[in-house]
Amino acid sequence: MADNAAAGRGFGRGRGRGDRGARGDRGRGGRGGPRGRGRKDDESKGWVPVTKLGRLVQDGKIRSIEEVYLFSLPIKEYQIVDFFLPKLKDEVMKIMPVQKQTRAGQRTRFKAFVIIGDFDGHVGLGVKCSKEVAAAIRGAIILAKLSVIPVRRGYWGSILGEPHTVPAKVTGKCGSVTARLVPAPRGTGIVAAPVPKKLIQLAGIKDCYTTTRGSTKTQGNFLKATFMAIGNTYGFLTPDLWAETGFQKSPYQEWSDFLGKKAVKRY
């Protein structure tokens, strides 16, 4: 009996933890099975839209991303941007460690800044923090796709050839950093620091002067200020936009019968 007791629950203060393995799947080793949400399997099957906009895009009801911008429809799925802009290029601008003080010490995570663009009037900026560098970069790329904005380009002087510079002086601010973009003659190039220069190039602007104020060594705020300035190009109302606007139905209203049907799962 003593042998049985020793083999079972033990003596004294042992509290009987020796039989954890005999309790089936109660122990950590017996849990087994795949964990997580199975994103890899979902990606291998293909994109299954979960929003109204995604369903309209996949079914071909919306033909260009400009229709999405025209009606200010929020983009919640990055696959929509991949569908319309397959030539997007991404670049990691900065990876910095950030720390949080806890009772157990310091918890270090990594913050990634990623810019994305197609060199033809579309640009995005994504910021993501994660425990691992690779996860932070992946998340920043997805957020950059979700934040893609249209860039309005214009001329300096005579209206000849393709638009090559910003249409007017535009300003963006983030933190203490103020970035200003000024139109430049054709052939000037981008007169800017290395950080905003790459963002302006991805936006498709060929000639531009820049001026900045504040602590520009804070690259995150420097990028955000430049991104806000580029986004303000469509917030500037010029005489060529004074024409009377012919209002159209929103895609959600136009295709309400299609959206009212139950979504068909495609495997």
Side-chain angles (χ1 to χ4, degrees):
M1 292 180 65
D3 295 338
N4 294 336
R9 303 201 174 193
F11 291 104
R13 297 183 181 180
R15 298 196 180 181
R17 290 187 179 267
D19 63 338
R20 291 292 294 270
R23 294 187 184 181
D25 59 350
R26 291 284 300 276
R28 287 184 177 270
R31 289 183 182 177
R35 302 189 67 180
R37 299 185 181 180
R39 289 187 177 181
K40 292 184 178 179
D41 295 338
D42 294 342
E43 291 177 0
S44 62
K45 291 177 182 177
W47 174 39
V48 180
V50 295
T51 61
K52 292 180 180 179
L53 181 60
R55 289 175 57 192
L56 292 176
V57 169
Q58 191 181 57
D59 208 65
K61 308 295 185 186
I62 296 178
R63 296 182 179 84
S64 68
I65 198 169
E66 274 65 35
E67 292 184 41
V68 179
Y69 294 140
L70 179 63
F71 295 98
S72 300
L73 303 178
I75 299 176
K76 302 290 186 180
E77 298 175 273
Y78 71 93
Q79 291 92 343
I80 296 174
V81 180
D82 288 334
F83 184 86
F84 287 125
L85 305 173
K87 296 181 180 179
L88 284 175
K89 305 291 183 183
D90 58 79
E91 182 157 338
V92 180
M93 297 302 295
K94 186 178 183 181
I95 297 174
M96 57 182 289
V98 292
Q99 292 181 330
K100 177 183 178 181
Q101 188 69 38
T102 62
R103 287 186 296 176
Q106 293 177 336
R107 188 186 69 177
T108 303
R109 296 198 298 172
F110 298 96
K111 192 175 185 181
F113 293 84
V114 174
I115 59 175
I116 196 167
D118 61 352
F119 299 94
D120 193 24
H122 299 94
V123 69
L125 171 65
V127 183
K128 179 66 176 177
C129 196
S130 183
K131 294 180 181 178
E132 299 178 2
V133 175
I137 293 174
R138 278 198 306 270
I141 291 174
I142 291 175
L143 292 177
K145 290 179 181 178
L146 293 177
S147 68
V148 167
I149 59 173
V151 182
R152 186 181 176 199
R153 291 165 290 178
Y155 299 90
W156 185 95
S158 59
I159 305 177
L160 296 174
E162 296 291 327
H164 63 98
T165 185
V166 289
K169 296 177 183 177
V170 288
T171 306
K173 191 175 189 304
C174 181
S176 69
V177 182
T178 302
R180 193 179 194 210
L181 307 183
V182 182
R186 195 181 297 273
T188 302
I190 299 173
V191 184
V195 172
K197 186 174 184 178
K198 194 64 183 177
L199 186 61
I200 296 171
Q201 286 176 340
L202 285 173
I205 298 172
K206 298 181 177 65
D207 308 293
C208 182
Y209 292 124
T210 61
T211 176
T212 56
R213 293 181 64 186
S215 180
T216 54
K217 68 179 180 181
T218 311
Q219 290 189 18
N221 288 351
F222 201 4
L223 280 169
K224 290 179 182 178
T226 308
F227 182 69
M228 290 178 66
I230 292 174
N232 288 336
T233 54
Y234 264 109
F236 201 91
L237 186 63
T238 52
D240 58 327
L241 297 177
W242 290 356
E244 187 175 352
T245 304
F247 294 101
Q248 305 172 1
K249 287 185 178 180
S250 167
Y252 293 162
Q253 187 178 3
E254 184 180 357
W255 304 103
S256 58
D257 295 337
F258 170 77
L259 295 173
K261 299 177 183 178
K262 191 174 181 181
V264 180
K265 294 185 178 179
R266 301 178 180 179
Y267 295 104

